[in-house]
């Protein structure tokens, strides 16, 4: 595969972001870490952590897969472990994913997409790929 210059730049930006957070606060404050597969920079693995409430103490592994045409086209995201909000191994429907090409913005970075994903953990809105709970109160 031809090197994706944009993703090569993003790898450097993510490292710089994490180092800056650690320098300022002594820890990563984004509630996730991400890095590309060493063999395939189109595939980024991430771990979400440090969440509150029912997710407290959990570590949630997922994968963000960019198309070869990234950033022209949006990536898709799947959670690889049970997590209480998204179905395991099902594509997650967000405006920042391939399920909504009409709302994709090529300026969005992998890091920004994952910030958006983390915010979904606390929203009441349900989306395709989410686990639906019925409250029997």
């Amino acid at each position: 595969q031809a090197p994706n210059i944009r993703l090569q730049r993003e790898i450097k930006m993510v490292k710089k972001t994490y180092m800056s957070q650690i320098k300022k606060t002594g820890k990563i404050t984004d509630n996730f870490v991400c890095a590309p597969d060493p063999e395939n920079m189109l595939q980024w693995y991430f771990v979400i952590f440090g969440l509150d409430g029912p997710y407290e103490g959990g570590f949630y592994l997922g994968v963000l897969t960019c198309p070869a045409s990234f950033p022209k086209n949006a990536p898709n995201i799947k959670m690889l472990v049970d997590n209480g909000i998204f179905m395991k191994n099902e594509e997650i429907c967000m405006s920042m994913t391939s399920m909504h090409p009409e709302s994709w913005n090529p300026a969005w970075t992998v890091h920004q997409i994952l910030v958006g994903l983390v915010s979904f953990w606390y929203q009441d809105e349900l989306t395709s790929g989410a686990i639906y709970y019925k409250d029997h109160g």
Side-chain angles (χ1 to χ4, degrees), residues 9-114:
R9 235 186 352 240
E10 288 198 35
I11 293 166
K12 292 176 186 170
M13 287 175 16
V14 164
K15 286 180 186 176
K16 188 175 180 179
T17 297
Y18 292 149
M19 293 309 294
S20 174
Q21 289 176 8
I22 291 168
K23 187 175 181 181
K24 286 180 185 174
T25 66
K27 63 182 183 176
I28 292 173
T29 57
D30 279 335
N31 295 99
F32 69 89
V33 291
C34 65
D37 181 316
E39 303 295 319
N40 179 3
M41 81 167 67
L42 296 175
Q43 202 156 39
W44 287 60
Y45 290 92
F46 59 89
V47 176
I48 296 172
F49 59 89
L51 302 177
D52 296 328
Y55 311 108
E56 188 171 355
F59 292 88
Y60 307 103
L61 176 66
V63 62
L64 181 147
T65 305
C66 298
S69 58
F70 185 86
K72 182 180 178 198
N73 298 102
N76 69 56
I77 302 172
K78 293 179 181 179
M79 296 306 300
L80 301 177
V81 297
D82 291 326
N83 56 77
I85 188 165
F86 297 110
M87 288 187 281
K88 184 173 147 183
N89 296 318
E90 293 288 327
E91 190 170 341
I92 297 170
C93 179
M94 292 176 23
S95 61
M96 298 175 157
T97 68
S98 58
M99 293 183 90
H100 283 283
E102 74 283 357
S103 61
W104 171 245
N105 181 342
W108 286 331
T109 64
V110 169
H111 187 265
Q112 290 167 327
I113 295 164
L114 293 175

